[in-house]
Amino acid sequence: MAALDGLEQAVAEISAEMSGQTDRGKVADYIPQLGGVNPDQFGLAVVLADGRAICGGDADTAFSIQSISKVFTLTLALGKIGDSLWRRVGREPSGNPFNSIVQLEYEHGKPRNPFINAGALALADVILSGHRPREALGEILRFIRHVADDDGISIDQGVAISEQETGFRNAALANYMRSYAMLDNPVEFVLGVYFHHCAIAMSCRQLAMAARYLAFSGRHGPDGRTVISPERARRINAIMLTCGHYDGSGDFAFRVGIPGKSGVGGGILAVVPGRASVCVWSPGLDDNGNSRLGKIALERLSRRMGWSVFGA
Ligand code: GLU
């Protein structure tokens, strides 16, 4: 299969190219536990329609998925309350840093989109309603394990505690939203669920497996089990494309051209509709908080494979 041969070679070559890079960005250290991660790591995994994973570099090393978890909490929140979610959170790019308070004030406590921190707090609140925090977290973890087909996935408690101890800005966002009656549950419960789902640890291979339902119209693969409807998968992909990379979302669309969601742990989860789900990881970040090498690697991969959704 020529196309597949090309892919294996591309993954191997790009992984080798990335190992030689010296300008690797800066590891996030505002969450103290993340500050100690070795920046010299790079992993890449591509999962195809038949479930095969093509991997390079440190694709099996677990890292903190951070904001990538918001893709899964968005899926769960939509599953729970459907389109009424959009009364609680918008779906426009923010053009502001992921933890901006200013925008929230302008917009009366309604977060601009589900992927900025305020939006993800709204998702956590929706998932939490009717549950205790522990049950809500269990639901999130069970869903991720289910879509990844891997029961070994867990929360890194050290990262969760580290963020809980230093998450003053998220606490400010949550309190602010609560003051506008935009959260139904106690602020400390919402924050607890949020910090813990951000602290889930997964490898590139596990994340690429988990995102198959977004690449294949809501199913695990073209012939696989249904997770969500094709329409919902399409819409989540649209939000990933427009809002998935903080205030660097436009540049990601310009350079890479596929839906993706990044996290400050250095991971980027990306979706090539109908073809593949991809995860890349390198802990050093650029000025917008996106993995520096991850973005370069995805740009090269998408270009080599002709994967941009905007045309070959
Ligand atoms: N847990 C991180 C925070 O709230 C997530 C940030 C991110 O990955 O965008 O600051």
Side-chain angles (χ1 to χ4, degrees):
M1 228 185 180
L4 215 61
D5 289 347
L7 175 62
E8 283 173 343
Q9 195 181 344
V11 167
E13 286 178 9
I14 291 168
S15 302
E17 286 160 21
M18 293 304 118
S19 68
Q21 297 271 337
T22 48
D23 184 1
R24 306 182 78 87
K26 192 175 171 308
V27 174
D29 56 7
Y30 75 97
I31 300 172
Q33 192 83 2
L34 296 184
V37 176
N38 173 7
D40 293 333
Q41 304 176 88
F42 174 86
L44 175 58
V46 180
V47 171
L48 299 164
D50 61 4
R52 256 186 42 164
I54 317 276
C55 295
D58 304 306
D60 288 307
T61 303
F63 60 91
S64 192
I65 70 172
Q66 291 298 319
S67 274
I68 296 174
S69 59
K70 297 169 186 173
V71 173
F72 304 115
T73 55
L74 173 60
T75 307
L76 281 173
L78 281 169
K80 193 164 172 186
I81 64 168
D83 281 342
S84 63
L85 180 70
W86 305 118
R87 288 204 289 269
R88 307 268 313 260
V89 56
R91 44 175 193 264
E92 291 295 342
S94 78
N96 271 313
F98 63 99
N99 52 10
S100 170
I101 293 180
V102 177
Q103 189 163 57
L104 202 54
E105 175 153 29
Y106 277 133
E107 295 177 359
H108 310 293
K110 180 177 175 182
R112 183 62 82 88
N113 70 60
F115 291 156
I116 52 173
N117 288 11
L121 290 165
L123 303 177
D125 186 55
V126 167
I127 297 169
L128 189 51
S129 285
H131 295 292
R132 295 173 207 278
R134 187 174 292 276
E135 294 164 349
L137 264 174
E139 193 180 332
I140 296 168
L141 204 50
R142 261 194 312 282
F143 176 69
I144 293 178
R145 286 174 174 167
H146 168 68
V147 287
D149 254 332
D150 193 330
D151 283 339
I153 294 164
S154 61
I155 295 171
D156 183 330
Q157 291 294 342
V159 172
I161 291 166
S162 181
E163 189 167 353
Q164 196 130 29
E165 285 171 354
T166 55
F168 306 112
R169 193 175 270 259
N170 285 318
L173 290 169
N175 278 295
Y176 202 77
M177 288 166 71
R178 178 86 196 208
S179 80
Y180 275 103
M182 295 301 278
L183 293 180
D184 295 333
N185 294 282
V187 163
E188 62 273 25
F189 286 5
V190 176
L191 287 169
V193 170
Y194 173 76
F195 292 144
H196 281 79
H197 74 61
C198 286
I200 291 171
M202 289 171 78
S203 67
C204 288
R205 186 195 297 265
Q206 289 170 324
L207 274 165
M209 287 293 282
R212 283 170 299 167
Y213 72 97
L214 295 172
F216 300 106
S217 303
R219 302 159 71 124
H220 276 294
D223 306 314
R225 290 186 308 252
T226 298
V227 179
I228 54 174
S229 69
E231 177 178 65
R232 188 155 288 166
R234 222 170 31 239
R235 288 177 160 184
I236 293 172
N237 289 340
I239 296 168
M240 288 171 75
L241 185 88
T242 51
C243 311
H245 299 270
Y246 318 114
D247 40 346
S249 298
D251 193 55
F252 190 86
F254 183 80
R255 285 172 45 184
V256 182
I258 54 178
K261 177 73 200 91
S262 73
V264 294
I268 303 178
L269 185 61
V271 170
V272 191
R275 309 252 187 121
S277 47
V278 184
C279 183
V280 64
W281 168 59
S282 178
L285 308 179
D286 64 19
D287 291 343
N288 295 126
N290 298 305
S291 172
R292 187 174 152 70
L293 295 194
K295 188 167 163 183
I296 295 172
L298 281 174
E299 183 178 17
R300 292 186 188 179
L301 185 66
S302 154
R303 182 178 298 152
R304 283 179 65 156
M305 301 308 296
W307 274 350
S308 169
V309 297
F310 301 109

